[in-house]
């Protein structure tokens, strides 16, 4: 089972991931939690290039290719082996982030970005994608209030960019109703956790 969590910065997806992984483990499931970009040493090295605030002149297509390269390495070294061993993989961001950020917000086109990602992943799509949807104004104000999280190059984009990210995610959810579930993340953390948990229970059939 391959579950991905998507949504903007400040939507609470990482906290929800920790709680859900914990609950699944208590029920006896073998779970791995991972994140993109990154998840393995090579992929983390690529992450550092992409998110470095100094790299202001990183070209949008180069950015999309780096995300796809890091994704492939992550699949090979971590995700595919875990799925093969029957584990539940919970991944904080995956290919849909590239479609929303690079395809939508950076205007590279969702179809173009999908095609390089199909090459990178050999068509590996999640069984379930939870989209934590929240207005970017609220998400961004939550990050600013959280002094523990370092601000990265993508966070520094203007509000319009984050609005396009949201719009693209919502379109993707509409077009892929069999694997996408939209969760209203403008609720208390407890409520968001319960909504996500219900979807996972449904998918796992208990
Ligand atoms: P990260 O610090 O992991 O952010 P978050 O806590 O919001 O998940 O940074 C990842 C950033 O990279 C985030 O701004 C989204 C962006 N991103 C893309 O633009 N394309 C991608 O394919 C992925 C995986 C992430």
């Amino acid at each position: 089972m391959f579950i991905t969590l998507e949504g903007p910065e400040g939507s609470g997806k990482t906290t929800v991931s920790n709680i859900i992984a914990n609950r699944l483990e208590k029920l006896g499931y073998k779970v791995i939690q991972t994140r993109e970009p990154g998840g393995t040493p090579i992929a983390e090295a690529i992450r550092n290039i992409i998110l470095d605030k100094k790299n202001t002149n990183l070209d949008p297509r180069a950015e999309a290719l780096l995300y796809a390269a890091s994704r492939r390495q992550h699949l090979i070294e971590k995700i595919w082996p875990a799925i093969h061993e029957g584990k539940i993989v919970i991944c904080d961001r995956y290919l849909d982030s590239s479609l929303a950020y690079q395809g939508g917000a950076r205007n590279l086109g969702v179809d173009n970005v999908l095609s390089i990602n199909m090459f990178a992943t050999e068509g590996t799509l999640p069984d379930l994608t939870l989209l934590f949807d929240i207005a970017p104004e609220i998400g961004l104000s939550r990050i600013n209030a959280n002094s523990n999280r370092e601000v990265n190059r993508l966070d520094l984009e203007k509000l319009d960019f984050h609005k396009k990210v949201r719009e693209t995610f919502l379109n993707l959810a509409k077009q892929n109703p069999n694997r996408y579930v939209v969760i209203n993340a403008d609720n208390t953390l407890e409520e968001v956790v319960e909504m996500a948990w219900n979807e996972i229970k449904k998918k796992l059939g208990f």
Side-chain angles (χ1 to χ4, degrees):
M1 175 73 63
F2 181 26
I3 300 168
T4 61
L5 311 179
E6 297 285 1
E9 290 85 306
S11 63
K13 63 186 171 8
T14 312
T15 315
V16 173
S17 165
N18 293 335
I19 296 172
I20 282 174
N22 211 292
R23 287 191 188 176
L24 288 170
E25 275 164 358
K26 283 203 182 121
L27 290 172
Y29 288 98
K30 296 235 176 325
V31 181
I32 70 153
Q33 269 180 285
T34 188
R35 67 151 185 199
E36 287 207 355
T40 73
I42 296 172
E44 290 286 333
I46 301 173
R47 172 190 175 91
N48 291 337
I49 301 172
I50 305 174
L51 296 182
D52 191 335
K53 277 176 280 183
K54 290 199 296 290
N55 290 340
T56 47
N57 62 347
L58 182 61
D59 168 78
R61 288 182 187 226
E63 178 183 279
L65 290 163
L66 286 171
Y67 277 115
S70 120
R71 178 160 302 129
R72 168 128 196 113
Q73 199 62 34
H74 187 210
L75 274 173
I76 300 243
E77 289 191 70
K78 203 162 178 181
I79 297 178
W80 281 339
I83 292 174
H84 198 72
E85 289 162 20
K87 294 179 178 155
I88 297 179
V89 176
I90 304 179
C91 190
D92 191 337
R93 298 193 181 280
Y94 184 64
L95 163 159
D96 298 280
S97 276
S98 283
L99 304 181
Y101 284 79
Q102 284 66 52
R106 289 251 191 266
N107 287 318
L108 294 180
V110 171
D111 289 343
N112 290 334
V113 176
L114 181 61
S115 84
I116 61 166
N117 275 280
M118 283 294 139
F119 172 72
T121 64
E122 295 174 62
T124 302
L125 290 174
D127 299 295
L128 175 65
T129 298
L130 298 178
L131 171 59
F132 295 84
D133 178 54
I134 192 164
E137 292 87 343
I138 303 173
L140 291 172
S141 74
R142 285 188 186 169
I143 321 179
N144 293 335
N146 177 0
S147 52
N148 292 328
R149 183 186 178 286
E150 208 190 323
V151 172
N152 70 48
R153 197 172 52 83
L154 279 287
D155 297 336
L156 297 173
E157 290 291 341
K158 303 257 174 341
L159 192 57
D160 265 4
F161 178 91
H162 294 287
K163 286 186 174 159
K164 271 197 228 155
V165 169
R166 182 188 198 195
E167 193 187 300
T168 313
F169 269 134
L170 288 171
N171 279 335
L172 287 167
K174 241 187 240 153
Q175 287 157 11
N176 299 277
N178 46 339
R179 77 169 165 99
Y180 252 99
V181 175
V182 182
I183 289 185
N184 179 0
D186 187 12
N187 274 302
T188 65
L189 186 61
E190 290 73 23
E191 286 167 325
V192 175
V193 168
E194 290 321 312
M195 288 188 272
W197 181 240
N198 283 336
E199 295 304 329
I200 286 177
K201 284 202 299 196
K202 248 193 259 167
K203 200 74 185 183
L204 289 169
F206 66 89

